[in-house]
């Protein structure tokens, strides 16, 4: 299972649009064959989701769960999200 730090969840939560779009969050998606990125979009029922303060802030498609199984999403010293 992907591990997401509280700091990363807080950063994502603070970047979300107002609650009127509560069905949208940041979703991890492929940018190309070797790179993942975040996209602001609706999450799907099959996604693994991560919540903060009662709102889904991050979604991981079930097809990417095996790839991210032993990974951690955190905020680096430079303030950027890092998946390692």
């Amino acid at each position: 299972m992907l591990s997401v730090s509280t700091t990363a969840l807080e950063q994502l939560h603070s970047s979300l649009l107002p609650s009127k779009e509560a069905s949208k969050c940041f979703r991890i998606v492929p940018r190309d064959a070797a790179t993942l990125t975040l996209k602001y979009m609706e999450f799907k029922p099959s996604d693994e989701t991560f919540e903060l303060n009662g709102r889904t802030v991050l979604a991981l498609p079930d097809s990417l769960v095996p790839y991210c199984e032993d990974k951690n999403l955190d905020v680096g010293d430079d303030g950027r999200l890092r998946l390692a």
Side-chain angles (χ1 to χ4, degrees):
M1 176 180 210
L2 173 67
S3 173
V4 182
S5 73
T6 301
T7 306
L9 289 174
E10 289 170 346
Q11 183 171 325
L12 291 168
H13 187 273
S14 69
S15 299
L16 288 173
L17 294 178
S19 61
K20 64 182 175 183
E21 294 200 19
S23 64
K24 290 187 176 182
C25 69
F26 291 100
R27 193 165 187 257
I28 299 174
V29 296
R31 175 181 289 166
D32 55 44
T35 311
L36 297 175
T37 190
L38 292 174
K39 187 172 182 180
Y40 184 71
M41 60 189 300
E42 290 190 10
F43 55 91
K44 298 181 180 178
S46 60
D47 288 348
E48 183 176 311
T49 58
F50 300 85
E51 295 184 4
L52 183 69
N53 298 331
R55 180 152 183 209
T56 299
V57 297
L58 180 67
L60 178 66
D62 60 349
S63 62
L64 294 176
V65 168
Y67 173 77
C68 294
E69 187 172 341
D70 295 328
K71 304 236 183 279
N72 181 49
L73 182 66
D74 202 354
V75 178
D77 293 335
D78 60 359
R80 298 176 71 172
L81 291 171
R82 297 194 186 277
L83 182 64

